[in-house]
Amino acid sequence: GVVVGNVTATEDVPPNFVLILADDMGYGDLSYTGHPTILTPNLDALAMSGVRFTSMYAGANICSASRAAMLTGRYAIRNGVYTSFSWPVDNSFRVFYPYSTGSLMHSENTVAQLLHQADYANGLVGKWHLGHYNNSLPLDFGFDYWFGLPYSQDEGCPPGYGVPCDPHGAIFTPTPLYANETIIQQPVNLETLVPRMTDRATTFIDTAVNNSQPFFLYLAYDEVHIPLFASPEFEGTSRRGLYGDAASEMDASIGRVVAHLEAKGLLDNTYIIFSSDNGAWSGLGTQGGFNGPFRGEKGSTFEGGHRVPGFIRGPNIQPGRIHQGVASHMDFFNTILDLAGVPIPDDRIYDGESLVPILVDGDSAEHRCYFFYRDSSLHAVRCGSYKMHYITRCGFCLDPPTKHDPPLLYNLDHDPSEVWGIDPEDPVYQAVKIEMDHAVTLHEANLVKGSPELDGQSPFVQPCCNKVTDCRCGPY
């Protein structure tokens, strides 16, 4: 290749990757997806410069399982991030909590671990939520650097949310902030968190460049999960209230990271992927988000739980295109490794597919199936335009699951809101059901379940920087 100053004009330079994940952001919570009062100019510009996906599915309908699926390219039922308990006990084992003893199974390959084969520097700036006890933090799963929270900010106090900061009245220890494997602040100061994340992200990029390494930066924001927060610079700036302030601050932080990439001459060789870990928690009222036309919310297997905003932009991707076919976060795993030239091990089943033919070649790749799990239970399947519900259940209420015989069937191209079910007597229903049942049979024939890692809990494993100070450390 021809080297001119710091700019290398060659196709031999490995690409960089920035994977950006919002938390609990609904399909309708961005300007470019039509929200009337949330402004996201940086995400809008990035989306328009790449391929937008209108049927992008998170790996699951809730934080931990979704992140596990995305980072391993495998449904959470395979990688252990589920509970074996059934209704109603399962409601207390939905994600990893401060007292959870389990984690993403150590036998799994994360995209970060595999990128090490090509000498990538791997950084996580933001939320982990895949376990914290017994060597289960990001540095144990292929990341070289981590700055962020081990789980959601509502799993402990910062003050002002339902869990009191009084050490004698708290359910959990205060929410800790980590740098690598050290707690540097407990409880975390949420008002300064995003500016610090922006700074750590740009520093990570600079360090990789100084070491002549390509990089994979996983930027996992805590917005717009409850409790909502914003720094003084953004608080009170959005017509959508604190939810909009939080979205605006995340968008501005992303804009600053992208501007840094551009200033360093890296943007043209960097793939940027954006999505949300699951649908909006719309049951929280104005504290929760907007799932656009989709029924249901985070935690449910209706579209509002799984279907999220998503786009990919980068080298050789024609801007301004929309892909309407099924895609999922598990595809990010295959796509990143494909673009990095890293082979995927053939010792297990992966559920993702490389999106490179869609991104680079413009392939339509329309007909794929996606399976909707709630923990160990398969609730629904989508193949092509149709979605069939065998079981339905609300996201966060205590009602039992409802089994449907015959199953519910919707044409999502015609009825994205899942309102107008197709009559079981309709010949279309009967033909589609045969196909769906066959897809489920094939899927389950090759299904080896991981160990149910969400089952284990103990009060003695909660993160604590110093028991003498009641787990309170660092400048606030």
Side-chain angles (χ1 to χ4, degrees):
V2 182
V3 179
V4 185
N6 291 327
V7 180
T8 307
T10 171
E11 291 187 359
D12 297 333
V13 179
N16 307 303
F17 302 95
V18 180
L19 171 57
I20 306 169
L21 196 68
D23 197 343
D24 289 3
M25 178 167 264
Y27 187 92
D29 276 332
L30 298 136
S31 309
Y32 86 83
T33 57
H35 199 285
T37 55
I38 293 176
L39 299 179
T40 51
N42 294 291
L43 284 167
D44 297 348
L46 289 169
M48 299 306 162
S49 70
V51 175
R52 285 165 279 157
F53 293 84
T54 57
S55 288
M56 174 62 73
Y57 289 96
N61 56 27
I62 199 163
C63 301
S64 296
S66 172
R67 292 159 200 268
M70 183 180 72
L71 289 178
T72 66
R74 286 154 53 83
Y75 287 107
I77 188 71
R78 299 192 202 272
N79 60 45
V81 184
Y82 70 94
T83 178
S84 65
F85 296 115
S86 53
W87 178 87
V89 179
D90 58 356
N91 282 310
S92 299
F93 297 85
R94 303 281 310 264
V95 296
F96 290 114
Y97 296 104
Y99 46 52
S100 294
T101 57
S103 71
L104 174 65
M105 289 169 61
H106 286 82
S107 57
E108 291 294 309
N109 296 313
T110 68
V111 66
Q113 285 167 317
L114 294 173
L115 284 170
H116 272 158
Q117 296 175 20
D119 196 35
Y120 272 76
N122 301 310
L124 166 54
V125 175
K127 175 177 163 181
W128 173 235
H129 217 173
L130 292 175
H132 62 273
Y133 177 63
N134 196 18
N135 302 318
S136 298
L137 291 171
L139 270 63
D140 302 302
F141 284 96
F143 289 95
D144 307 301
Y145 175 73
W146 175 42
F147 174 85
L149 307 185
Y151 36 72
S152 304
Q153 66 266 25
D154 64 337
E155 295 180 26
C157 69
Y161 185 63
V163 184
C165 256
D166 172 4
H168 304 294
I171 306 167
F172 301 137
T173 56
T175 304
L177 174 64
Y178 281 78
N180 291 327
E181 299 193 332
T182 304
I183 296 174
I184 59 171
Q185 189 179 57
Q186 192 172 13
V188 59
N189 182 344
L190 294 174
E191 285 194 350
T192 60
L193 181 59
V194 178
R196 286 184 286 175
M197 285 179 60
T198 310
D199 179 60
R200 299 293 179 116
T202 55
T203 301
F204 168 77
I205 291 166
D206 291 346
T207 302
V209 170
N210 291 341
N211 292 335
S212 301
Q213 283 183 287
F215 59 83
F216 167 58
L217 171 60
Y218 173 28
L219 195 49
Y221 288 91
D222 302 278
E223 286 89 357
V224 276
H225 198 289
I226 56 166
L228 298 170
F229 64 92
S231 66
E233 179 187 352
F234 289 90
E235 193 165 353
T237 61
S238 171
R239 295 179 68 143
R240 175 58 178 84
L242 187 53
Y243 190 98
D245 298 341
S248 293
E249 180 162 25
M250 178 183 72
D251 180 77
S253 171
I254 292 166
R256 288 165 185 167
V257 172
V258 172
H260 189 77
L261 290 169
E262 194 160 26
K264 293 284 181 177
L266 299 167
L267 188 59
D268 290 345
N269 194 39
T270 300
Y271 290 94
I272 298 174
I273 302 171
F274 172 79
S275 198
S276 175
D277 68 336
N278 44 247
W281 201 345
S282 52
L284 296 175
T286 58
Q287 296 284 300
F290 177 52
N291 288 316
F294 304 127
R295 178 177 176 180
E297 62 171 339
K298 167 186 176 176
S300 82
T301 51
F302 285 106
E303 292 292 281
H306 289 252
R307 198 160 165 183
V308 287
F311 64 77
I312 303 177
R313 59 93 65 204
N316 304 315
I317 295 178
Q318 184 183 349
R321 285 194 295 122
I322 293 175
H323 180 70
Q324 296 179 313
V326 172
S328 86
H329 287 184
M330 292 173 288
D331 299 335
F332 298 163
F333 175 93
N334 300 62
T335 304
I336 290 169
L337 294 173
D338 189 357
L339 291 166
V342 175
I344 295 175
D346 59 5
D347 63 338
R348 67 196 71 195
I349 290 173
Y350 290 91
D351 296 300
E353 295 180 14
S354 173
L355 298 171
V356 170
I358 293 166
L359 297 171
V360 176
D361 305 329
D363 184 3
S364 61
E366 285 288 329
H367 199 83
R368 290 181 60 189
C369 295
Y370 173 87
F371 299 90
F372 296 76
Y373 277 91
R374 174 158 171 158
D375 289 307
S376 61
S377 175
L378 180 65
H379 279 207
V381 59
R382 175 178 178 178
C383 292
S385 303
Y386 293 94
K387 180 177 176 184
M388 182 162 274
H389 292 266
Y390 299 96
I391 304 170
T392 56
R393 186 173 172 186
C394 55
F396 284 91
C397 73
L398 299 179
D399 295 348
T402 302
K403 293 186 178 180
H404 299 279
D405 186 13
L408 308 176
L409 180 66
Y410 300 100
N411 181 335
L412 294 179
D413 287 347
H414 297 178
D415 177 26
S417 303
E418 299 173 284
V419 174
W420 309 106
I422 298 172
D423 189 329
E425 301 299 317
D426 190 316
V428 170
Y429 180 102
Q430 294 163 19
V432 170
K433 185 174 187 303
I434 292 169
E435 181 192 350
M436 295 289 194
D437 290 346
H438 181 62
V440 170
T441 300
L442 285 179
H443 170 71
E444 292 182 337
N446 295 315
L447 183 64
V448 178
K449 293 183 180 181
S451 62
E453 293 289 316
L454 294 179
D455 285 2
Q457 296 183 350
S458 164
F460 305 110
V461 302
Q462 299 200 49
C464 182
C465 57
N466 187 340
K467 291 183 178 172
V468 175
T469 61
D470 287 319
C471 310
R472 279 147 182 78
C473 300
Y476 307 119

